[in-house]
Amino acid sequence: MDVTLTGLTVRFDSQPVPALESVDLRVPAGEQVALLGASGAGKSTLLRVLLGGVRPLAGEVRVGGRDPFGSAAGVRALRQRSGFLRQRDDLVPGVSARTNILMGQSSRWRLGDWFTVARGGVPSRHTARLAELAHRHGIADLLDRRIEHLSGGQRQRVALVRALLGGPGLLLADEPTTGLDPERAAAAVADLRGAHGVTLLLATHDGALARQFPRVIGLRAGRIVADGPPARIAMEQLYAA
Ligand SMILES: Nc1ncnc2c1ncn2[C@@H]1O[C@H](COP(=O)(O)OP(=O)(O)OP(=O)(O)O)[C@@H](O)[C@H]1O
């Protein structure tokens, strides 16, 4: 899904200055982009707008040609076609990695699917894709493990497979490598970038991670101050707090 923002301005009630101001951005379908900026630059706010979670003060938002604020049904449809990875994953303890992954699709289930999952099974509509994604992202051997018995990097991969299971057109990742060491963080980004064909927007304050992307968008104090391949961008000015 492509993303177009025109004159996007967001201002939270309690804040004297806008979190985002006059942001114009176009990301074609399938492109992979890093949003780079220091803490408070507006990265999370931008991602939340794309899912209809924060209403803009002004401007136009289109995701896959749709206005995320158009109608409640429109927002639901958009969220079903989008995957979101948060700073800290929200995987559920006490159940297996497999159940965690499947639960991401529960809004689409019929009663029979719930029974299948409750018995530890996989609804037939998810069998092939779950097996393929688990294999591609190296968690095929971990699916039976309880989530609290996995390492940070393994959890991150489980969260990624959960986000990809429904075949999203858009993947939003908000500092998904928080808490991982640099090597694991690089591997996690490589994993994310392996989701070909999905539009990917990853928010980070880490210049080294942003460098792994073909396009970097620099945010400072709610404005886009750079946009292009990493070699052409003065990265250190963007993530220095
Ligand atoms: N719910 C909210 N209510 C009020 N102000 C908010 C809210 N969410 C974000 N802000 C403010 O909006 C600005 C942008 O915040 P945002 O979380 O988008 O930044 P960020 O670049 O994602 O930062 P970080 O890297 O720390 O997550 C900040 O000044 C922040 O304090």
Side-chain angles (χ1 to χ4, degrees):
M1 288 196 284
D2 62 326
V3 169
T4 308
L5 304 174
T6 315
L8 176 71
T9 296
V10 174
R11 182 167 172 175
F12 293 101
D13 285 345
S14 55
Q15 298 293 321
V17 290
L20 292 171
E21 191 158 14
S22 305
V23 169
D24 293 321
L25 176 65
R26 180 162 152 64
V27 180
E31 195 168 71
Q32 301 187 330
V33 171
L35 292 177
L36 178 65
S39 183
K43 308 180 295 291
S44 304
T45 303
L46 195 153
L47 296 186
R48 287 168 63 203
V49 167
L50 298 180
L51 290 180
V54 175
R55 191 171 277 278
L57 184 66
E60 211 173 77
V61 184
R62 290 287 179 274
V63 181
R66 251 200 172 116
D67 177 1
F69 302 94
S71 68
V75 174
R76 270 199 304 279
L78 190 62
R79 287 185 182 168
Q80 281 193 345
R81 294 209 52 213
S82 308
F84 193 32
L85 294 171
R86 290 161 217 281
Q87 285 180 1
R88 235 181 283 150
D89 71 59
D90 53 357
L91 298 168
V92 180
V95 294
S96 68
R98 178 187 291 102
T99 302
N100 265 281
I101 292 166
L102 291 169
M103 287 300 287
Q105 299 304 309
S106 59
S107 63
R108 298 174 176 181
W109 291 350
R110 303 205 186 92
L111 191 58
D113 296 326
W114 284 97
F115 283 121
T116 303
V117 174
R119 283 191 227 103
V122 178
S124 57
R125 72 178 85 179
H126 299 310
T127 317
R129 186 161 168 85
L130 174 57
E132 185 222 314
L133 287 170
H135 177 72
R136 190 188 318 151
H137 296 287
I139 58 164
D141 296 342
L142 306 177
L143 291 176
D144 289 322
R145 300 261 292 271
R146 279 165 65 133
I147 211 69
E148 61 271 35
H149 295 161
L150 300 183
S151 72
Q154 290 169 335
R155 289 176 68 114
Q156 207 279 344
R157 281 181 272 152
V158 170
L160 173 60
V161 169
R162 183 181 60 174
L164 293 175
L165 185 62
L170 176 67
L171 188 55
L172 305 174
D174 193 354
E175 308 266 9
T177 57
T178 303
L180 300 184
D181 62 49
E183 204 174 305
R184 289 232 162 79
V189 171
D191 245 358
L192 273 167
R193 294 209 50 215
H196 295 295
V198 183
T199 311
L200 170 62
L201 271 77
L202 176 137
T204 183
H205 57 259
D206 182 340
L209 289 190
R211 260 182 245 283
Q212 296 181 48
F213 284 74
R215 180 179 175 195
V216 177
I217 292 162
L219 275 175
R220 190 188 300 131
R223 288 178 178 272
I224 293 184
V225 293
D227 185 352
R232 293 219 324 260
I233 290 181
M235 312 272 270
E236 49 296 330
Q237 292 176 17
L238 291 168
Y239 52 86

